[in-house]
Amino acid sequence: MPATIVVGTQWGDEGKGKLTDTLAKEMTMVVRYQGGHNAGHTLVVNGEQFKLQLVPSGVLYAHITPVIGNGVVVDPRVLIAEIAQLTAKGIDCSRLKLSGNAHLILPYHQQLDALHERYLGKNSLGTTRRGIGPAYADRAMRVGLRVQDLLDPKIFREKLEVVLHTVNPILAKVYNRLPVDAEAICQEYLEVCGPQLAPYIADTVGLVHDALDAGEHILLEGAQATFLDLDHGTYPYVTSSNPVAGGACTGSGIGPLHISEVVGIAKAYVTRVGAGPFPTELFDEIGDYLVDTGHEYGTNTGRRRRTGWFDAVMMRQAVRLNSLSEIAITKLDVLDGLDTVKVCVAYEYEGERMTSMPYHQSVLHKVKPVYAELPGWKTALTEATEEHQLPPAALDYLAFLEEQVGVPIRRVGVGPGREQFVERSRT
Ligand code: GDP
Ligand code: IMO
Ligand code: MG
């Protein structure tokens, strides 16, 4: 009856899709527990690339039941398009299950997301403009529409009327925009999306527990990451859900005693898309090297990612927030060309050394990273399949990270392909 969580430990795009796909080999079910189509999870199998936004990353395996949990916010139009794209590539999506309790993203959520970002101007968060924040806000206000409402036109219309009672005046009086065309939404959502998604809509909490009761091993796939978490991230530069391991329980409907492992995933350096503090950010040619070599452009929005050195201070905080039992490091191969590699081991603020993250955001904005500098390996790692094939300097780098963070690194990514994970021995 165990459940394993895959959680991002930085600011997203660590390779959660790839790790989920790798671990899913041994599982029967993969549950996405939060976020929406702000996520972009990439899988590369036999050279073919799959970019998933809502469909869980286990979908490529015939033995996996992919589940979109209650904690996810779903734009049904995007989900339908994603299913169609996967089906066109020969992937059978018929096993997909969609929680009836998941909340819907409606067109005005996207409009409000974009309008709010525009209003913020130079202080904008750099959201993906997918309507994630406004959809979760409606959920918290208890005026949200849920996936199950697609199956009940009367309820759908009633709820839409209630929410538009406040949304329309906001659009008109605050943003000088036209009111929402409720009939157009009803037509698209009830007449087009509802019937197409009906076969997938299910009591996913029941299905998850049936699997656990049958002794099956399930995987809970996080989107976004620890420092984009609404409670624990660099607020307000965060997303509107709880990617941390605790969110996996609420977002899938299981209690914490079912969790047997929490696998944290981190890049061998750090990236961030959108605004917010980033202590180890690089503005020099090494930052450009990481962007170019790591192809650091958003999977979803195409935006250039900000890059920086690995931050062990953040990672120690991620260990605490998620109870990490092990770590997977991805993109070690991206550092192959560097003479030396740096790791931030502490922060300095007003002459004081800090080894844990300051709780006060104003301090985090001003800290200076304290680096340890290690020799590079100047060897291509992409062909490595076993630990002993990694050069000593790369192994030393991993050992240094482990020592800094205090949790074993069990897997190391050396390329985007499904098979490009080197497993490390359990000592
Ligand atoms: P996710 O959102 O956490 O699933 O990550 P993304 O898919 O947005 O971004 C990770 C990117 O890195 C994708 O393009 C992956 O194909 C790629 N990737 C994952 N692991 C590795 C690795 O070990 N090495 C290299 N070079 N690329 C990787
Ligand atoms: P995956 O799952 C990286 C960032 C956005 C923005 C902030 C809020 O692929 O790792 P939102 O649209 O969620 O309201 O935006 O969060 N963001 C991500 N950054 N990877 C993601 O997902 C992200 N999802 C949201 O860039 O800074
Ligand atoms: Mg991504």
Side-chain angles (χ1 to χ4, degrees), residues 4 83 184 221 284 296 339 370 412 420:
T4 295
I83 292 171
E221 178 187 11
D284 57 9
E296 294 299 352
D339 293 326
V370 178
V412 183
Q420 287 178 300

Side-chain angles (χ1 to χ4, degrees), residues 1-178:
M1 48 178 279
T4 295
I5 299 173
V6 167
V7 59
T9 61
Q10 297 165 331
W11 281 294
D13 304 324
E14 297 90 348
K16 297 174 291 293
K18 178 184 159 179
L19 180 63
T20 299
D21 171 67
T22 301
L23 298 180
K25 243 184 302 185
E26 314 295 333
M27 314 275 168
T28 59
M29 183 178 269
V30 175
V31 188
R32 253 290 294 275
Y33 60 82
Q34 46 66 237
H37 67 300
N38 49 349
H41 293 185
T42 317
L43 316 179
V44 180
V45 178
N46 299 328
E48 190 177 6
Q49 195 178 58
F50 298 86
K51 292 181 183 182
L52 303 173
Q53 294 186 275
L54 283 164
V55 174
S57 300
V59 68
L60 300 194
Y61 291 110
H63 70 272
I64 288 286
T65 304
V67 175
I68 298 176
N70 56 277
V72 177
V73 282
V74 179
D75 183 328
R77 300 162 302 175
V78 174
L79 180 58
I80 288 167
E82 194 172 326
I83 292 171
Q85 276 166 18
L86 286 166
T87 307
K89 285 187 164 201
I91 307 300
D92 175 16
C93 293
S94 62
R95 302 170 323 279
L96 178 71
K97 303 293 176 199
L98 169 61
S99 169
N101 285 358
H103 277 248
L104 290 173
I105 292 184
L106 295 162
Y108 66 81
H109 290 133
Q110 267 142 25
Q111 193 185 3
L112 287 175
D113 195 351
L115 286 168
H116 190 63
E117 282 285 273
R118 216 169 90 166
Y119 157 74
L120 289 174
K122 66 177 176 37
N123 297 320
S124 70
L125 309 179
T127 73
T128 59
R129 298 176 181 228
R130 305 294 199 243
I132 306 295
Y136 278 118
D138 276 0
R139 183 176 87 154
M141 277 293 287
R142 294 149 297 175
V143 293
L145 276 75
R146 295 192 288 179
V147 165
Q148 58 183 285
D149 300 328
L150 292 172
L151 306 178
D152 191 333
K154 186 165 169 285
I155 295 278
F156 186 98
R157 285 174 185 276
E158 278 173 19
K159 287 185 160 184
L160 188 61
E161 197 182 319
V162 169
V163 71
L164 293 185
H165 177 70
T166 43
V167 167
N168 275 335
I170 290 171
L171 283 174
K173 295 186 180 148
V174 178
Y175 294 114
N176 199 22
R177 291 295 187 280
L178 293 172

